[in-house]
Structure formats: C-alpha cells, structure tokens
Amino acid sequence: MDTGTAEPARPAGTEAQPVWTGLPGGLLRMRRLLLVVWLVPIAVAVGVLLGVFAGPAWAFFALLPLAFVVWGWPMLERNWRSWKYAERSDDLLISRGVLWREETIVPYGRMQLVEVTSGPVERYFGLAGVQLHTAAAATDARIPGLLPEEAERLRDRLTELGEARSAGL
C-alpha cells in the first residue's frame, strides 16, 4: 500500500547525510589581498627604516613579513576550504577549522535573530556574512563570505524556519 512518502522510512534517530555547501572563492581572494596589502607595506617600511637607521645588514629583517605572506598564502586556502554549512530539517550545521575542527549545530527553534552583514571590503568583493544569534551566546554562529543573494536567501529561510519551530515551544 502506498503511503505517499517520497523517501523510504529510516530508523528513529537517523537522518540522511547533510549536503555541505562551501564558501565562494571571492572570500579567499579577499583574504589573500588583505594579507598582501597589510604585510608588503610593512616589509617595505621595516626594510627602509632599518636600512636607514640601523644599517643595510639590519634591513634583512624586512624579509620576515614577506615570509608570513609566503606562509599565509596556502594557509588561507586551507582555512577557506574548511568552512562549510549544511541545512537540515531541524537545524543548521556549520563546520570549520583545519587543526582544531569545530562543528556548530544551531537548532532553528533556538534562533532569535539572523543578520546579514557586509563591510566595505566585503561589498567591494561582492560578499556578505550571515550572523546567527540564539538565546545562549555560546551558540551564536556566523557564516562569512557568502554571495549577497545566498546570504539573503539563507537569512529568509532561517528566519522562516526559526519562527515555525519556535511557535511550538
């Protein structure tokens, strides 16, 4: 007999694997640009100042900020790849971290406020972030670097689901 369900019944307590969504590449480009914009001028300033006031041999220390650029370039990509989120039927999952993995689960019924934020640099790169606020400050979560359309869609969906779930509390 057909019961009208679209998918087979699962045992209690099990749910389908979440569909993870990564962050757009614009976030990685923005972070890399900020790395270069901050550290290259510092390297030049350190090199010039040490070269003039302490002698040419001391200008060698200007390579330290450049070494951070070389080291930070692939590290930013690893961090960017680690960020992902998944919308499930009852909650939102946010996963991040390379060395220390962190997975945050935010139940829709516990959400009090969902904000879309975008600073001047983010707007230049066409990005926005979603900030989730709950009753417990420890469970506040954010998803950075989304496309503005996706951020607004996520805000509207999370707000709708949050209102529907909290009505039963």
Side-chain angles (χ1 to χ4, degrees):
M1 172 184 235
D2 184 20
T3 60
T5 58
E7 60 183 64
R10 290 189 187 92
T14 63
E15 188 167 328
Q17 290 291 343
V19 178
W20 293 100
T21 305
L23 301 181
L27 180 64
L28 178 61
R29 285 191 299 279
M30 179 188 77
R31 288 180 175 176
R32 283 181 168 171
L33 178 68
L34 290 175
L35 177 76
V36 170
V37 164
W38 279 100
L39 291 180
V40 169
I42 289 173
V44 170
V46 167
V48 168
L49 291 174
L50 287 177
V52 169
F53 294 114
W58 287 93
F60 177 74
F61 283 103
L63 294 178
L64 283 175
L66 295 180
F68 280 120
V69 170
V70 171
W71 174 80
W73 196 267
M75 292 300 111
L76 286 173
E77 182 172 357
R78 289 182 67 195
N79 179 270
W80 169 74
R81 286 188 188 282
S82 75
W83 276 88
K84 55 191 173 192
Y85 65 96
E87 300 173 61
R88 296 195 306 184
S89 59
D90 293 325
D91 49 32
L92 176 73
L93 303 175
I94 302 172
S95 178
R96 65 192 169 282
V98 177
L99 291 177
W100 287 273
R101 301 280 307 150
E102 185 174 331
E103 190 168 293
T104 304
I105 301 173
V106 184
Y108 296 135
R110 300 291 182 199
M111 289 184 202
Q112 292 184 330
L113 175 67
V114 182
E115 294 179 303
V116 174
T117 60
S118 184
V121 177
E122 288 175 313
R123 280 194 307 274
Y124 179 79
F125 282 90
L127 301 172
V130 174
Q131 178 75 36
L132 309 165
H133 298 279
T134 62
T139 58
D140 285 0
R142 69 182 181 91
I143 303 172
L146 297 172
L147 298 175
E149 301 81 30
E150 172 65 8
E152 290 172 10
R153 183 203 67 81
L154 194 59
R155 177 200 58 206
D156 294 342
R157 175 164 161 65
L158 295 176
T159 302
E160 178 184 314
L161 289 169
E163 288 172 355
R165 298 295 193 282
S166 66
L169 292 179

